[in-house]
Amino acid sequence: MNLLETIALNLRSASSIAVLTGAGVSTASGIPDFRSSEGLWSEDQTREYYMSSHYFSYNPEDFWKKYKAIFRIKLLKNYHPNKVHHFLQELESDERDVSIITQNVDGLHEKAGSSQIVEYHGTLNHASCPKCGKKFSLDYVMNQPVPSCSHCHCVLKPDVVLFGDLITAHEEAEKMITQADFLLVLGTSLLVTPFSLLAEQACRHPALSTAIINNEPTGKDHLFDYVVHQDLSAAVDTLRELVS
């Protein structure tokens, strides 16, 4: 039995699956992987400075200009779920819960129809007023060079976790993992903390089987029961056949 067959067996038998997903899940949808060895973050390290809560407070007008350019937000509606997103949704059934904890901010898991999602780093799909908390849609955000609240007239802040912001979804994500029978990690290098800590904590849990599928080796591979280095779309094609 090869590794994908073993992973498929775990997926079929588990009543609760937790899935950690990273940028590699969305690359087949045309969205760049910002943190891979060839990702966009490696092109210009100053992006971390510009995409920070500090810079948003210091120069919100220029922040919004750079934010829209860096995340190619104008193109967001052109992106659609790919076979990986759809496969995870298809795993859901009356007998099986699937909880997705994603680093991705593109909203494609929700668009694919998955029902239990923690967007660990937030979402590009809306922004909020820092003063009154009112949320505004992507259409609203795109219709203004510097979007502001229609009520307070404050400059809106994106609902993504900027550098310097606190992660608020960690406890919810931890709870999903502790309730699972099987942890599947897809398309992430596990370089970013505290997201990477979720995998580390899960892999120390003796009753939880764990697997990672990623195109490249990661520094956390040794923690997992099953490790597959393969194109994610190809691996999912195989898993779909084995699980169905």
Side-chain angles (χ1 to χ4, degrees), residues 70-101:
I70 288 172
F71 285 105
R72 302 181 183 184
I73 196 169
K74 188 184 297 184
L75 302 176
L76 192 62
K77 287 192 173 182
N78 295 339
Y79 298 135
H80 302 285
N82 60 57
K83 63 179 67 179
V84 183
H85 300 101
H86 290 303
F87 172 69
L88 295 176
Q89 190 281 323
E90 291 163 7
L91 284 175
E92 296 183 15
S93 69
D94 292 337
E95 296 80 29
R96 186 191 299 124
D97 290 326
V98 178
S99 300
I100 297 171
I101 302 131

Side-chain angles (χ1 to χ4, degrees), residues 88-197:
L88 295 176
Q89 190 281 323
E90 291 163 7
L91 284 175
E92 296 183 15
S93 69
D94 292 337
E95 296 80 29
R96 186 191 299 124
D97 290 326
V98 178
S99 300
I100 297 171
I101 302 131
T102 185
Q103 290 176 282
N104 299 333
V105 293
D106 50 49
L108 293 184
H109 285 297
E110 181 181 6
K111 199 169 182 179
S114 289
S115 59
Q116 298 184 72
I117 307 164
V118 170
E119 292 178 311
Y120 194 83
H121 290 144
T123 178
L124 294 170
N125 284 296
H126 40 78
S128 298
C129 175
K131 185 174 182 180
C132 71
K134 185 176 180 180
K135 288 187 179 295
F136 294 85
S137 69
L138 180 62
D139 284 338
Y140 184 92
V141 167
M142 292 307 299
N143 282 334
Q144 303 177 57
V146 182
S148 60
C149 178
S150 59
H151 177 68
C152 302
H153 307 294
C154 291
V155 175
L156 301 183
K157 187 176 182 181
D159 285 335
V160 296
V161 177
L162 302 176
F163 290 97
D165 283 343
L166 294 175
I167 299 288
T168 60
H170 193 83
E171 288 188 9
E172 183 182 2
E174 278 189 327
K175 184 177 180 181
M176 284 180 166
I177 291 171
T178 58
Q179 294 174 343
D181 305 314
F182 185 61
L183 174 71
L184 180 63
V185 178
L186 300 176
T188 173
S189 56
L190 294 175
L191 289 173
V192 180
T193 56
F195 185 83
S196 62
L197 298 178

Side-chain angles (χ1 to χ4, degrees), residues 43-70:
E43 295 176 10
D44 184 359
Q45 295 301 324
T46 60
R47 294 177 187 208
E48 292 195 9
Y49 171 73
Y50 290 126
M51 293 299 99
S52 67
S53 55
H54 166 77
Y55 194 71
F56 169 79
S57 299
Y58 171 70
N59 192 340
E61 290 81 9
D62 192 55
F63 168 88
W64 269 106
K65 178 182 176 181
K66 288 180 168 60
Y67 171 84
K68 290 181 179 181
I70 288 172

